[in-house]
Amino acid sequence: MIDKKTLLASLLGASVVLPLPALAQDSSSDSDPVTLRMAYDADPVSLDIHEQLSGGILQLSHLTHDPLVRWTKDVKFEPRLATDWERIDDTTMRFTLRDGVTFHTGNDFTAKDVVWTINRLKRSADFKAIFDPIASATAIDEHTVEIKTHKPYPLVLNLATYIFPMDSEYYSGETEDGDPKDEIVKNGDSFASRNSSGTGPYEVVSRQQGVKIVFERFDNYWDKDSPGNVDRLVLTPIGENATRVSALLSGDVDFIAPVPPNDLERVRADKNVELTTMSGTRIILMQLNQKRVEAFEDPRVRKAFNYAVNQQAIADRLMKGFATPAAQLSPKGYDGYNDSLEPRYDVEKAKELMKEAGYEDGFSVSMMAPNNRYVNDAKIAQAVATMLSRINVDVDLKTLPKAQYWGEFDDRAADIMMIGWHADTEDSANLFQYLTECPDPETGAGQYNAANYCNPELDEKVAQANVETDRAKRAEMLQAVEQALYDDAAFMPLHWQDLAWAAKKNVKLEPVVNVMNFPYLGDLVVEQ
Amino acid sequence: MIAFLIKRLMHAFVVMFVISVISFAIQSNLGDPIQQMVGQSVPESQRAELREELGLNDSFLVQYGRFATNALQGDFGYSYFFNEPTTEVIQRHLPATLELVIAATLIIVVFSVPIGVYCAIRPRSALSRFFMSVSIIGISIPVFLTAIMLIQLFAIGVDFSPFPAETGWGQWLNGLLSTEGGMPSYGRGNDLTHLFGTWDSNFFSLDGLTYLVLPAVSLASIMLPLFIRLIRAEMLEVLQSEYVKFATAKGISLKRIYFVHALKNTMLPVITVGGVQLGTMVAYTILTETVFQWPGMGLMFLEAIQRSDIPLIVTYLMIVGLIFVVTNTLVDLIYGLVNPTVKLTGKPA
């Protein structure tokens, strides 16, 4: 208990108004405090929500902070700290902010906090890239903010899901050591990495990195309509899959994520536990390097490779139905999703195409895949290698732990490489920019395009789509790009990884999960 | 004695030097730490900047020289993940590992000595044969499997019902085979007793002890059978020796022969092996800690490898090397006390 109090005190630092005494009167007035113990595969690296753009940090952001808007289950926008928004002109978007919101320190939330946060995001190494299109943010009055973009930009709302306003007053000034409180430090100590004040449903009361974080419900949380009734959250990282599942089955924790596919059946069969799954947005694909292998320059060979791989079988058997077979990059719900594209699988056709291209006898290629990054990644690569042997392609497969894999990936060390991608902006254009655009180290385009596929015409189309603010028109353009990539067989799409969470029966997960893979725990109901 | 300690101190330096060079040499194969630190959309230019900032572009010798200079001044660098000096990170994780090793050692000592002695005194009894066959199984099953089985049996619970549940006897037999579960399966528990500094102890509360049981048993599962067999073999040999026969002929009570004369001589080699194994046990905790999410050094090390947290990996390896040197030195000292004919410096008596 002692360390908890001191931690809380140091957390709130200089602030005079301690929200603690209010705890007894409000919130869980009639029943015992509800505690949710949850286990994730990793804990957030820092309390600074701008230090890293990762799932762990975003999950934390939704606990301690609130975004301006957030994604609903069907990939639509839901107002949070912004109650309303309108496009003033092609490059300006005006947000109306919620009234009566306070930070954990007691400071009022106003437009200047939003401006401050956006400026800080533009300084963050990890967020800089996606906030690049934003030119400036201005506070019009206490509760109105205008965001201006350099060029007409259709994805301002997508970016707004990443704007979690921070308490600008709290993070201003210097620490005792003379460091600015708002500095973002990647490797080292900073004020923001140990202290936090947001508007979110939970406050951090204690944190031992790699061991556990304890959150308590914020008494003055603005969203009084939220059904959420959890007073205390305890997050423990459990990296080992089997242990995480055991912890849930034995009742040591109430909620786990992710659920390893090999244990899905075991979790589903347990009568005390409920499994929640939904289709995800992370695409898993293989890239055929045209720079390394001459044959891959021939679209017929690339198509043959696509025809040779049975995505449905991988999704059904290897992934145990825990994946959606893909024929394109954009998952359903994205503007670029083209519903006419179907996975191709036809070994005879594949053989024919190989014959046409003059590779009837096949050839040898090397392939690399990670073995601990994506769900079943190494097994998927093995399956693909086996399937390719049916068109006489001899695959030399090497699988590596992710720590080593990315170095090899950056070196484009194999002819075929596996990659999984989730668009940070939840938008198709992001997929194209990183995975299929002509690689250009100057602009960063095609940074993960290990196929070296290059089609300037398509890049031009994506660029046009990125300044098109009419959503319907833009969707049409993006879908045309998907079609062209499909016709060209620019890569081998495999599937979208499904998401899975598991919790005890009385934890009502279903209403709070979403494609972003971080359930909105502020609204979580635990039945007593 | 002093000469011996000085010699050992020099040994320690050589060992640590070699370990640091080797762990430094393999770091380029451990992956790119930058990749672990930044998000997917961070452009190459910024990665290069960060790499330069961390000094990862310098040559091996420059990097090692910098590390060694700082290390000699007690500064082993910052962990990339914890954003803290590596020595502090290890200090925080060390107590958990030590407590686990202490608990496992207690289990081993308490069980292996009586069982080993019994098996030597009554080598042909049914109970001895039972112990021997169980210990073979214990040695053969890897620690992580033991751990997972323990979790399934005692944390989750198993419902076996091969016998008819309607009948009284069937229910009773089913009950015998099934387990309730309910033991904690991960972590150190919530009710730890703070001793000093970074040391929180599991030993002083019921909650802490229940969390300690399964990990300690699985950690002990390999060493315990090994020691039972070792003690049995040594004891059997001692019981054949001349002085035991003489003592028997002299009419000294069997109890006194077994537990005063024979056991003392049996323990000599056991202490040597035990000391060396104690060091090994620190290494074994990696598996046990991973399965039980025990927040000690082993788990920390494994995660550091996954995150390419090079400074932490190097510091850990050096500290483990130090532990080996220290335990071996202690063993030699104790050996000298138990058997005064052994001279530490190796000169003839």
Side-chain angles (χ1 to χ4, degrees):
Chain A
M1 277 318 273
I2 296 163
D3 67 62
K4 196 188 104 184
K5 268 184 195 148
T6 49
L7 243 153
L8 185 67
S10 66
L11 234 148
L12 297 172
S15 76
V16 190
V17 195
L18 281 161
L20 198 66
L23 202 118
Q25 307 145 16
D26 203 41
S27 70
S28 60
S29 46
D30 42 359
S31 56
D32 291 335
V34 181
T35 300
L36 181 80
R37 296 159 302 166
M38 53 184 188
Y40 269 69
D41 54 347
D43 56 341
V45 295
S46 165
L47 287 186
D48 186 349
I49 58 169
H50 294 164
E51 192 171 315
Q52 193 183 59
L53 177 46
S54 64
I57 288 285
L58 287 171
Q59 176 73 70
L60 175 77
S61 308
H62 278 284
L63 290 171
T64 54
H65 295 69
D66 272 304
L68 292 184
V69 297
R70 72 180 182 191
W71 295 104
T72 61
K73 246 181 179 177
D74 45 357
V75 206
K76 300 241 161 32
F77 298 105
E78 182 186 351
R80 295 304 287 171
L81 290 186
T83 50
D84 202 8
W85 49 88
E86 60 174 327
R87 198 169 264 291
I88 306 287
D89 56 51
D90 268 358
T91 57
T92 316
M93 193 96 155
R94 179 175 289 174
F95 288 89
T96 310
L97 303 178
R98 197 173 290 278
D99 208 357
V101 177
T102 51
F103 286 105
H104 296 157
T105 50
N107 295 337
D108 283 328
F109 160 71
T110 64
K112 79 173 193 318
D113 298 305
V114 178
V115 173
W116 187 90
T117 304
I118 292 174
N119 289 336
R120 191 166 188 264
L121 279 164
K122 286 180 75 65
R123 286 203 331 255
S124 157
D126 276 37
F127 288 89
K128 197 186 266 177
I130 61 169
F131 276 88
D132 199 38
I134 291 187
S136 68
T138 346
I140 304 297
D141 59 40
E142 281 267 284
H143 294 286
T144 316
V145 168
E146 262 185 20
I147 295 179
K148 275 196 183 301
T149 52
H150 293 291
K151 282 184 283 185
Y153 190 62
L155 303 177
V156 177
L157 278 180
N158 300 45
L159 292 190
T161 63
Y162 284 103
I163 304 174
F164 294 86
M166 292 168 76
D167 189 344
S168 60
E169 204 177 312
Y170 178 68
Y171 290 101
S172 294
E174 285 181 356
T175 61
E176 281 167 19
D177 301 334
D179 295 319
K181 285 185 178 174
D182 64 343
E183 68 174 345
I184 307 169
V185 182
K186 259 267 179 270
N187 171 43
D189 208 358
S190 69
F191 176 78
S193 72
R194 310 235 173 253
N195 302 279
S196 145
S197 171
T199 60
Y202 292 99
E203 294 178 85
V204 178
V205 289
S206 84
R207 169 167 181 259
Q208 203 186 341
Q209 193 162 16
V211 181
K212 71 174 169 188
I213 310 185
V214 181
F215 299 90
E216 254 166 40
R217 186 111 183 155
F218 174 42
D219 288 312
N220 293 323
Y221 187 47
W222 59 269
D223 193 356
K224 301 287 179 209
D225 299 332
S226 163
N229 71 342
V230 176
D231 301 302
R232 195 178 162 84
L233 273 175
V234 182
L235 186 152
T236 315
I238 302 185
E240 189 65 23
N241 282 337
T243 312
R244 194 162 60 249
V245 173
S246 302
L248 176 72
L249 296 184
S250 66
D252 285 347
V253 296
D254 307 308
F255 163 44
I256 62 165
V259 183
N262 288 336
D263 287 311
L264 283 173
E265 285 315 312
R266 193 165 152 225
V267 171
R268 200 174 273 149
D270 195 290
K271 53 187 187 301
N272 302 319
V273 167
E274 183 130 330
L275 182 72
T276 309
T277 58
M278 72 182 289
S279 187
T281 54
R282 185 185 294 281
I283 177 81
I284 306 291
L285 65 147
M286 296 269 188
Q287 294 174 322
L288 310 171
N289 195 329
Q290 304 181 17
K291 220 180 202 169
R292 291 175 58 103
V293 180
E294 208 193 325
F296 289 154
E297 285 176 13
D298 189 334
R300 286 172 300 189
V301 174
R302 301 201 298 261
K303 258 182 225 167
F305 272 56
N306 267 298
Y307 276 112
V309 173
N310 187 349
Q311 285 115 322
Q312 192 67 50
I314 293 178
D316 288 349
R317 273 173 253 154
L318 255 182
M319 301 293 288
K320 313 222 153 79
F322 185 61
T324 314
Q328 55 187 319
L329 297 175
S330 311
K332 206 170 183 165
Y334 278 26
D335 286 342
Y337 177 73
N338 187 332
D339 59 6
S340 66
L341 303 181
E342 292 283 331
R344 353 179 201 209
Y345 170 56
D346 186 343
V347 180
E348 287 315 309
K349 186 97 187 262
K351 283 183 182 159
E352 232 168 78
L353 282 163
M354 288 292 273
K355 196 170 171 183
E356 253 176 62
Y359 293 103
E360 199 183 355
D361 301 329
F363 49 89
S364 295
V365 288
S366 58
M367 180 191 277
M368 272 191 198
N371 58 24
N372 60 355
R373 175 64 188 89
Y374 310 112
V375 178
N376 283 337
D377 38 15
K379 284 188 199 156
I380 294 167
Q382 274 160 18
V384 171
T386 314
M387 286 167 179
L388 290 176
S389 70
R390 280 183 282 182
I391 55 169
N392 299 324
V393 173
D394 187 23
V395 178
D396 172 24
L397 171 66
K398 190 174 173 194
T399 62
L400 305 149
K402 61 182 174 197
Q404 281 92 320
Y405 181 71
W406 294 113
E408 302 288 335
F409 187 91
D410 288 341
D411 296 341
R412 310 288 190 254
D415 305 333
I416 304 181
M417 301 208 96
M418 177 191 270
I419 185 168
W421 194 263
H422 163 253
D424 289 330
T425 49
E426 299 293 320
D427 178 72
S428 305
N430 173 285
L431 296 165
F432 304 139
Q433 282 164 346
Y434 283 99
L435 297 173
T436 65
E437 283 195 355
C438 305
D440 183 350
E442 289 287 297
T443 62
Q447 195 180 340
Y448 291 86
N449 179 359
N452 244 316
Y453 173 83
C454 185
N455 186 340
E457 239 173 80
L458 291 182
D459 295 0
E460 181 53 32
K461 223 177 241 173
V462 175
Q464 280 167 11
N466 269 350
V467 291
E468 176 57 66
T469 49
D470 181 335
R471 204 162 160 191
K473 254 196 217 160
R474 183 167 182 275
E476 214 171 277
M477 293 159 91
L478 294 171
Q479 284 169 25
V481 175
E482 283 287 8
Q483 182 72 46
L485 288 169
Y486 179 83
D487 293 341
D488 222 6
F491 47 85
M492 288 161 71
L494 295 174
H495 53 248
W496 294 287
Q497 227 170 260
D498 281 3
L499 304 170
W501 306 268
K504 283 189 186 156
K505 279 260 152 54
N506 62 335
V507 178
K508 298 296 159 199
L509 262 191
E510 179 72 31
V512 298
V513 299
N514 56 78
V515 288
M516 302 290 287
N517 202 3
F518 17 85
Y520 300 136
L521 297 174
D523 296 338
L524 180 71
V525 176
V526 177
E527 283 174 0
Q528 290 295 67
Chain B
M1 178 81 171
I2 303 280
F4 168 75
L5 283 179
I6 290 173
K7 212 168 133 195
R8 276 307 165 98
L9 198 67
M10 279 158 66
H11 272 185
F13 263 107
V14 174
V15 168
M16 311 250 301
F17 171 71
V18 171
I19 290 176
S20 69
V21 171
I22 293 177
S23 46
F24 236 80
I26 57 167
Q27 63 164 292
S28 57
N29 295 318
L30 289 175
D32 181 6
I34 306 289
Q35 187 72 45
Q36 306 293 314
M37 274 186 236
V38 299
Q40 57 182 18
S41 49
V42 172
E44 191 45 50
S45 58
Q46 271 169 40
R47 289 170 198 241
E49 230 170 75
L50 196 58
R51 201 167 284 137
E52 187 65 47
E53 208 176 287
L54 294 177
L56 294 173
N57 288 333
D58 300 336
S59 71
F60 174 76
L61 280 179
V62 174
Q63 285 196 48
Y64 184 77
R66 190 167 47 216
F67 169 78
T69 325
N70 289 335
L72 283 175
Q73 293 160 12
D75 173 11
F76 288 84
Y78 261 67
S79 156
Y80 296 152
F81 176 75
F82 290 96
N83 292 343
E84 270 178 284
T86 54
T87 40
E88 269 176 39
V89 175
I90 287 177
Q91 250 177 49
R92 221 175 41 232
H93 287 87
L94 185 66
T97 297
L98 287 182
E99 293 222 322
L100 188 56
V101 171
I102 292 170
T105 311
L106 281 177
I107 294 178
I108 293 170
V109 170
V110 167
F111 286 96
S112 69
V113 176
I115 294 178
V117 169
Y118 176 83
C119 290
I121 299 173
R122 304 245 180 289
R124 282 186 186 76
S125 80
L127 196 59
S128 296
R129 285 170 202 273
F130 169 76
F131 281 134
M132 283 302 104
S133 38
V134 170
S135 70
I136 273 287
I137 298 175
I139 290 181
S140 342
I141 300 179
V143 171
F144 66 90
L145 196 62
T146 315
I148 288 172
M149 282 185 344
L150 285 174
I151 290 179
Q152 183 67 47
L153 286 173
F154 299 111
I156 300 175
V158 182
D159 218 2
F160 270 130
S161 45
F163 302 105
E166 314 82 67
T167 58
W169 61 271
Q171 214 169 18
W172 182 73
L173 281 174
N174 284 343
L176 271 189
L177 286 175
S178 306
T179 51
E180 275 264 330
M183 291 293 284
S185 64
Y186 78 94
R188 282 186 80 185
N190 307 310
D191 188 16
L192 301 181
T193 317
H194 184 77
L195 293 186
F196 57 86
T198 56
W199 196 302
D200 288 314
S201 180
N202 277 71
F203 284 104
F204 302 100
S205 65
L206 189 64
D207 178 69
L209 284 172
T210 50
Y211 275 84
L212 196 55
V213 173
L214 293 186
V217 169
S218 33
L219 184 61
S221 68
I222 291 268
M223 298 290 176
L224 179 58
L226 193 82
F227 275 88
I228 293 178
R229 298 184 84 84
L230 182 72
I231 293 172
R232 172 181 170 271
E234 289 298 330
M235 184 90 171
L236 274 177
E237 207 178 303
V238 172
L239 288 181
Q240 302 296 322
S241 62
E242 298 287 328
Y243 76 90
V244 170
K245 283 181 190 157
F246 179 70
T248 324
K250 219 176 139 191
I252 296 174
S253 78
L254 279 179
K255 217 187 199 171
R256 197 172 156 78
I257 295 177
Y258 290 148
F259 294 104
V260 178
H261 298 288
L263 188 60
K264 233 188 214 167
N265 286 295
T266 303
M267 290 322 278
L268 281 178
V270 174
I271 289 173
T272 322
V273 177
V276 178
Q277 297 295 346
L278 201 70
T280 318
M281 204 133 83
V282 175
Y284 265 119
T285 58
I286 293 179
L287 287 174
T288 314
E289 285 183 9
T290 310
V291 178
F292 288 99
Q293 197 70 26
W294 189 262
M297 287 204 306
L299 179 66
M300 178 211 76
F301 177 61
L302 199 82
E303 287 181 342
I305 291 183
Q306 281 164 5
R307 297 182 185 118
S308 315
D309 196 340
I310 294 158
L312 193 55
I313 295 172
V314 176
T315 318
Y316 171 84
L317 289 175
M318 289 178 67
I319 285 183
V320 169
L322 184 72
I323 291 176
F324 266 89
V325 175
V326 169
T327 47
N328 279 331
T329 310
L330 285 177
V331 166
D332 288 346
L333 288 176
I334 294 173
Y335 204 87
L337 291 178
V338 180
N339 185 356
T341 59
V342 176
K343 283 282 173 284
L344 290 171
T345 38
K347 283 189 199 121

